[in-house]
């Protein structure tokens, strides 16, 4: 931070304020200057919640403090568009480029990169997480941050690595501040992750954490109740064995639960060997 401290705020205080923001999840600056959203909200009406807003590309930057120029896509239209684009993709590369062009998910606005997948598309085993975090957004790859490092160790414990697995997320763009994706955002992204499963056609799916398990298994039952038991996922006319298990980020917070994850990993290893 090179900015000179102001008269009333010391350098140490500024650093402390920045640290506080990072801890609250504000870990990227989207603009050079702060925007007073409270002042803005008195000047304009709040858009309908059902409407999604996307910037019109190639238009000149809007003058502050007005809101960015936007186009709106209702959630239903966004899901229909995602379904159509996903269904039209007959290869993973086509799916990736469809997602790059897809404008129906607002998460794109704050995300730096589409986080499509990592690993081996020929793998027998496909792992699905919730959504990218900061490091994943920076690198455009899933599970490369702290939980990714733990995931790599978990895979190594059963003789796997990124050359022998395929990894993706339910949601392909980082939610700002690592918040949980909304149900609408998840539904908008669902056709893409389901098409990805169809195209990879793995023998085994590993669902990392509650959001991934709930979305892919279409259930409301929490992960602690369904983890460790094989489920079936039918997609594209094929039935795939799915193992819901604990998310590595949860295991970082609750290391004592690693023993449960280990039991699940052994079941996965046995299914792959069987
Ligand atoms: N958590 C996830 O669910 N996915 C990632 O890619 C990283 C962290």
């Amino acid at each position: 931070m090179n900015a000179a401290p102001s008269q009333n705020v010391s350098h140490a205080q500024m650093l402390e304020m920045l640290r506080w923001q990072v801890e609250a999840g504000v870990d990227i600056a989207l603009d050079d200057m702060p925007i007073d959203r409270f002042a803005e909200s008195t000047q304009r009406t709040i858009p309908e919640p059902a409407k999604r807003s996307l910037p019109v590309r190639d238009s000149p930057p809007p003058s502050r403090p007005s809101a960015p120029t936007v186009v709106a896509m209702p959630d239903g239209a966004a899901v229909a568009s995602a379904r159509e684009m996903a269904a039209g993709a007959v290869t993973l590369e086509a799916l990736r480029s469809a997602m790059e062009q897809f404008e129906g998910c607002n998460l794109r606005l704050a995300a730096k990169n589409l986080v499509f997948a990592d690993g081996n598309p020929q793998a027998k085993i496909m792992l699905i997480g919730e959504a990218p975090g900061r490091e994943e957004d920076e690198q455009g790859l899933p599970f490369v941050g702290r939980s990714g490092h733990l995931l790599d160790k978990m895979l190594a414990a059963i003789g796997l690595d990124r050359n022998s697995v395929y990894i993706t997320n339910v949601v392909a763009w980082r939610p700002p501040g690592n918040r949980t994706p909304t149900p609408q955002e998840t539904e908008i992204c669902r056709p893409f992750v389901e098409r990805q499963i169809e195209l990879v056609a793995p023998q085994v799916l590993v669902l990392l954490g509650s959001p991934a398990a709930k979305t892919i298994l279409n259930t409301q039952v929490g992960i602690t109740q369904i983890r460790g038991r094989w489920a079936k996922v039918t997609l594209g006319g094929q039935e795939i064995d799915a193992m819901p298990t604990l998310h590595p980020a949860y295991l970082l917070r609750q290391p004592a639960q690693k023993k449960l994850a280990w039991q699940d990993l052994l079941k996965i290893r046995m299914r792959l060997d069987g």
Side-chain angles (χ1 to χ4, degrees):
M1 195 60 208
N2 296 325
S6 79
Q7 266 184 333
N8 301 323
V9 185
S10 71
H11 194 261
Q13 282 172 319
M14 283 173 69
L15 274 178
E16 208 38 58
M17 281 194 283
L18 281 175
R19 222 170 267 133
W20 178 80
Q21 293 209 353
V22 169
E23 276 167 21
V26 185
D27 51 12
I28 50 166
L30 295 178
D31 276 299
D32 292 334
M33 298 300 292
I35 303 164
D36 185 348
R37 297 285 181 202
F38 294 104
E40 270 183 11
S41 65
T42 61
Q43 291 165 23
R44 66 188 163 91
T45 50
I46 296 167
E48 279 175 61
K51 299 273 163 79
R52 314 223 125 239
S53 301
L54 290 168
V56 173
R57 304 213 179 275
D58 303 323
S59 56
S63 56
R64 301 291 183 198
S66 64
T69 311
V70 292
V71 293
M73 191 185 290
D75 292 336
V79 173
S81 161
R83 278 203 196 113
E84 193 182 328
M85 290 176 87
V90 293
T91 63
L92 287 170
E93 269 322 300
L95 185 65
R96 179 199 284 268
S97 80
M99 290 172 76
E100 278 163 355
Q101 283 155 41
F102 180 65
E103 301 222 316
C105 183
N106 264 0
L107 293 175
R108 283 183 61 136
L109 294 178
K112 286 199 178 134
N113 283 301
L114 165 76
V115 177
F116 183 71
D118 193 18
N120 182 353
Q122 317 294 333
K124 285 188 197 170
I125 173 167
M126 174 168 180
L127 293 95
I128 305 182
E130 178 185 10
R134 187 164 56 86
E135 284 93 342
E136 288 78 18
D137 183 40
E138 295 279 342
Q139 297 186 37
L141 289 170
F143 284 100
V144 289
R146 276 186 76 216
S147 43
H149 294 147
L150 177 55
L151 182 62
D152 287 338
K153 287 186 191 161
M154 291 161 68
L155 292 172
I158 53 166
L160 299 172
D161 62 17
R162 288 188 188 230
N163 293 318
S164 50
V165 304
Y166 185 85
I167 310 179
T168 190
N169 283 303
V170 169
V171 168
W173 294 273
R174 182 199 182 202
N178 291 351
R179 67 164 168 76
T180 304
T182 64
Q184 290 79 7
E185 287 159 355
T186 301
E187 284 314 302
I188 290 166
C189 292
R190 175 196 286 280
F192 293 119
V193 69
E194 289 188 343
R195 186 71 182 134
Q196 213 169 343
I197 297 171
E198 286 175 14
L199 291 170
V200 174
Q203 185 186 319
V204 166
L205 270 177
V206 179
L207 308 172
L208 298 165
S210 231
K214 284 181 174 172
T215 306
I216 304 300
L217 300 178
N218 283 304
T219 179
Q220 283 310 309
V221 185
I223 192 70
T224 49
Q225 278 168 275
I226 53 170
R227 62 141 282 279
R229 272 183 278 145
W230 288 105
K232 294 274 184 208
V233 172
T234 305
L235 275 172
Q238 52 175 344
E239 212 177 52
I240 307 168
D241 291 332
M243 173 59 73
T245 190
L246 302 170
H247 193 287
Y250 171 76
L251 297 173
L252 286 171
R253 294 192 302 271
Q254 304 284 339
Q257 303 301 312
K258 286 182 184 172
K259 60 179 182 299
L260 299 177
W262 175 238
Q263 291 166 10
D264 303 347
L265 286 169
L266 288 179
K267 288 181 189 168
I268 293 164
R269 182 69 262 174
M270 280 165 67
R271 184 61 54 109
L272 289 173
D273 292 342

